[in-house]
Amino acid sequence: MRTVFIAILFSWIITANAAVHTPVFVLHSYSQEYPWTKRQHESFMQTLESLPDHAFSISVEYLDTKRVDYNPAYADQVANSLAGKYQDYQPRFIYVTDDNALSFALSHLTRIFPGVPVFFSGVNNYQIRDQLDPERFTGVFEHKEIAPNLELMRHIAPDIRDILVVGDDSETFQSIRDELQTELRSHPDIRANFISHGQIEALIQDLRGHRERFVFLTTLGKMVNAQGETQTLAETIAAIVAAGDFTIFSMEDVYLYPGVLGGYVTSGTRQGDMAAKLVKRYLTDEPVKAITPLDSPNEYLINGTELHKTGLILPDAIARQTRIINPLPSFIEKHAAFILRSLYALAALLVILLVSSLLIVIRKNRQILQGSDALTTQTKHLNEVRESLIRAQRIAGMGNWDWYIGENRLYWSEGIYRLFGINSQDFEASYEGFINRVHPDDREHVNAAVRQAIESHIPYDITHRIVRPDGEILVVHENAEIIRDERGKAIRMTGTLLDITAQKQVEAALRSSEAKLRTVIQGFPIILWMIDSDGVFILSEGKGLEAENLKPGQVVGESFF
């Protein structure tokens, strides 16, 4: 375990020592709080710090030329300060943003940090390109394109031909104006008016004198009020929005404040990222001369709220490329408070319903339990009645049956199964199953009795024989009722079956005994008289009647008494 720990610690030390210490000097044209500058710097650092094996130490300075005019005297003053401050400092490379910082790099940083390469972003002045030494300078030029914005404008109002281009009175604006004027030569049907002021009140006063519908914002960072105080972007743009009924296009992503539609914009975030990627190539030993400067990656960026106000539906070709910010709230977002209150109310109602339902269920369960007890008692009673009926049928040697005629479905009680000597599994519950167990000689008699009962309303009351599986023959007596529907059609036949085998056997025995006695009496010379309790002769038999000239059954007198 100790060996593994030492190996891991040693590996960590080697890895830490392997990271190259890379000092970087950064100079921004504007202050650290200016949104455009912040976006470039943060994006540049985020991309740069993703490079492995480098530990960057950053020294950042600001010219602050949105507040202070950039001129040779001011540049010399800053240069002297930086030269003293960084006397013993040698960065691996320099990163500058926007036109003033690049101009300062050309005139002073090459002297303060001789031989150090310079990477830039946010530069509008394409004319400065010819002054850059390709051995030391490369970066990202900012290209404000008006053509895509004009295309978007034509979708809003196809007949509009007049536009107003607005900016501060800065060196950057002058560069942008020159670039846009060159590009507008390709659009001779568009009449562009340029207005620029360094003071916000003068700019607004000039704006109010114009009637163009479409205003294009270029650069507005160097704007002061009447007291000479630098205006924030939010303050400047709010004043422009309030100056008239304009549809306002932006040419920079940082200008998308309320009231600004947006457009095809330059992006400080993207430019900082691209500049850092050029630095990465340099840090992997690619010479600066081989790293060609790039144009800014612009994009459609639209304020969804302002787009809704214009009533514009973006064409598919543009919509696919557009990033929407401040989209209109969805129905749920717009009515979130109401929906939330409704949900709370529904939740409360649900709780009430649940509690009520629970109470009802408890009450019903109690009723069901009471009903179940009563049903159990009833079931017990019914079972007792059923057992008593089964016992009575067994004692009486009988059973009951039910025949549903249309369905040919036959029900037999336990007593009938016992008389037929079968169980329910061996019986096909139908009329045919029953008739097959009737004695073959009696089947036609039974079938005829059933037909007469169904068709002719003759009562079903017959005696016939059945054959048990063991061959034993029983004599049974059946009677039944016919149940009919409202049209008089027989739909059901229900009846009883009684075992009278023993009764028939007794009757046969009595008939046999009587015949034998009569034979004996008639063979002897005697007279047998039988009288009732009133002394009336009811029978006279015997061979002796012949001697009295009497016949069998003839009596001597009507009364014995």
Side-chain angles (χ1 to χ4, degrees):
M1 180 63 74
R2 179 179 298 175
T3 302
V4 173
F5 174 76
I6 292 172
I8 293 173
L9 179 61
F10 182 68
S11 174
W12 177 82
I13 293 171
I14 290 176
T15 303
N17 290 336
V20 178
H21 174 69
T22 306
V24 181
F25 181 79
V26 177
L27 179 65
H28 294 298
S29 294
Y30 315 131
S31 76
Q32 63 267 37
E33 295 305 319
Y34 188 64
W36 175 261
T37 298
K38 286 186 69 174
R39 292 189 182 189
Q40 288 185 89
H41 182 84
E42 290 172 357
S43 177
F44 178 83
M45 292 306 306
Q46 183 177 358
T47 302
L48 196 66
E49 288 170 355
S50 66
L51 187 66
D53 303 330
H54 281 272
F56 295 98
S57 59
I58 312 297
S59 298
V60 185
E61 299 291 341
Y62 301 87
L63 293 175
D64 200 13
T65 54
K66 292 292 184 185
R67 187 178 59 85
V68 181
D69 287 337
Y70 183 75
N71 53 53
Y74 178 68
D76 289 342
Q77 180 183 350
V78 174
N80 291 334
S81 173
L82 294 179
K85 185 175 180 179
Y86 294 95
Q87 183 175 2
D88 299 321
Y89 180 76
Q90 185 69 14
R92 178 74 186 277
F93 62 88
I94 298 168
Y95 172 53
V96 298
T97 63
D98 297 289
D99 295 69
N100 295 148
L102 181 59
S103 297
F104 185 86
L106 280 168
S107 60
H108 294 88
L109 290 182
T110 53
R111 176 175 52 80
I112 298 172
F113 304 116
V116 177
V118 177
F119 295 83
F120 60 85
S121 65
V123 173
N124 295 278
N125 186 4
Y126 274 75
Q127 297 175 358
I128 204 172
R129 191 167 191 163
D130 296 335
Q131 304 175 37
L132 301 178
D133 179 2
E135 299 282 350
R136 293 188 58 187
F137 287 85
T138 190
V140 183
F141 283 99
E142 180 182 313
H143 179 45
K144 284 183 167 57
E145 300 178 74
I146 198 168
N149 287 302
L150 293 177
E151 180 185 357
L152 186 57
M153 178 193 74
R154 284 190 169 104
H155 283 291
I156 299 174
D159 298 330
I160 294 296
R161 295 293 178 265
D162 294 302
I163 64 172
L164 191 60
V165 182
V166 176
D168 57 21
D169 194 18
S170 65
E171 179 183 342
T172 300
F173 174 75
Q174 304 304 325
S175 298
I176 294 171
R177 183 181 61 184
D178 293 342
E179 183 182 345
L180 294 182
Q181 285 176 330
T182 300
E183 191 172 351
L184 283 169
R185 291 172 189 166
S186 302
H187 303 274
D189 59 327
I190 299 297
R191 294 182 295 272
N193 290 312
F194 291 84
I195 63 171
S196 64
H197 288 284
Q199 190 183 74
I200 186 65
E201 289 86 356
L203 180 67
I204 298 304
Q205 185 64 33
D206 201 350
L207 269 176
R208 287 174 178 161
H210 284 269
R211 293 292 177 265
E212 292 90 344
R213 178 180 175 183
F214 297 101
V215 171
F216 289 77
L217 305 181
T218 56
T219 180
L220 295 167
K222 193 173 183 180
M223 194 71 69
V224 297
N225 60 18
Q227 290 75 40
E229 300 167 338
T230 302
Q231 295 285 103
T232 65
L233 278 179
E235 292 170 335
T236 299
I237 291 174
I240 293 172
V241 169
D245 186 18
F246 302 118
T247 298
I248 302 176
F249 288 82
S250 172
M251 303 187 83
E252 289 188 14
D253 59 356
V254 294
Y255 294 166
L256 267 77
Y257 285 90
V260 179
L261 173 65
Y264 197 67
V265 301
T266 58
S267 169
T269 299
R270 288 193 173 192
Q271 291 192 53
D273 171 69
M274 290 182 67
K277 288 176 179 176
L278 297 180
V279 170
K280 282 186 175 184
R281 292 170 59 184
Y282 165 69
L283 293 176
T284 54
D285 297 329
E286 189 171 349
V288 174
K289 186 176 181 178
I291 305 173
T292 306
L294 304 173
D295 286 334
S296 62
N298 300 337
E299 65 172 337
Y300 281 105
L301 188 62
I302 300 294
N303 186 324
T305 302
E306 300 303 322
L307 180 67
H308 178 70
K309 289 180 182 178
T310 67
L312 173 67
I313 298 176
L314 294 176
D316 290 342
I318 294 178
R320 285 193 294 268
Q321 308 171 55
T322 300
R323 183 160 57 94
I324 301 292
I325 63 169
N326 300 326
L328 286 177
S330 65
F331 177 84
I332 293 177
E333 293 170 335
K334 189 175 181 180
H335 300 89
F338 173 76
I339 292 173
L340 190 59
R341 287 195 298 270
S342 299
L343 288 175
Y344 281 135
L346 287 173
L349 180 60
L350 181 60
V351 170
I352 293 172
L353 288 174
L354 287 174
V355 171
S356 302
S357 300
L358 182 60
L359 293 174
I360 292 172
V361 168
I362 292 173
R363 181 179 177 184
K364 288 293 183 183
N365 284 344
R366 188 179 296 114
Q367 292 175 347
I368 290 170
L369 184 59
Q370 292 171 350
S372 177
D373 291 341
L375 182 61
T376 301
T377 302
Q378 264 187 340
T379 302
K380 183 178 179 182
H381 176 67
L382 289 173
N383 288 336
E384 290 174 350
V385 171
R386 180 174 177 273
E387 290 174 2
S388 177
L389 178 61
I390 292 171
R391 191 178 302 110
Q393 288 189 357
R394 185 169 61 250
I395 294 170
M398 67 177 296
N400 65 288
W401 51 268
D402 220 338
W403 178 34
Y404 294 84
I405 300 170
E407 304 172 29
N408 193 20
R409 178 165 52 87
L410 186 62
Y411 163 78
W412 276 1
S413 71
E414 184 180 332
I416 294 185
Y417 281 110
R418 184 173 58 254
L419 292 174
F420 276 78
I422 59 175
N423 57 51
S424 58
Q425 287 76 25
D426 297 330
F427 175 65
E428 54 277 21
S430 64
Y431 179 77
E432 290 77 11
F434 155 71
I435 205 69
N436 288 336
R437 287 167 173 79
V438 174
H439 192 283
D441 295 339
D442 295 344
R443 288 175 187 171
E444 182 56 36
H445 172 59
V446 173
N447 283 326
V450 171
R451 283 195 302 270
Q452 289 174 352
I454 292 175
E455 298 171 3
S456 304
H457 298 261
I458 296 174
Y460 183 75
D461 192 340
I462 64 171
T463 298
H464 63 86
R465 291 165 292 173
I466 63 173
V467 182
R468 292 164 59 96
D470 59 3
E472 182 183 2
I473 297 175
L474 298 183
V475 180
V476 296
H477 178 77
E478 280 192 281
N479 56 23
E481 290 183 353
I482 302 294
I483 300 172
R484 303 178 185 275
D485 62 15
E486 63 276 4
R487 293 173 298 179
K489 180 181 178 181
I491 59 174
R492 187 176 168 193
M493 191 173 182
T494 181
T496 60
L497 183 144
L498 175 65
D499 180 11
I500 60 172
T501 305
Q503 177 184 336
K504 290 296 183 180
Q505 289 173 346
V506 169
E507 289 176 356
L510 286 174
R511 285 195 298 272
S512 177
S513 297
E514 183 180 348
K516 290 177 181 179
L517 179 59
R518 188 180 298 276
T519 299
V520 170
I521 292 173
Q522 291 176 351
F524 287 90
I526 61 173
I527 297 174
L528 176 65
W529 288 318
M530 185 179 294
I531 60 175
D532 62 15
S533 58
D534 294 326
V536 177
F537 289 91
I538 60 175
L539 178 66
S540 61
E541 293 289 348
K543 189 72 172 173
L545 290 173
E546 295 177 4
E548 300 292 333
N549 294 318
L550 297 174
K551 296 180 180 178
Q554 187 174 357
V555 297
V556 177
E558 292 184 357
S559 177
F560 182 76
F561 301 106

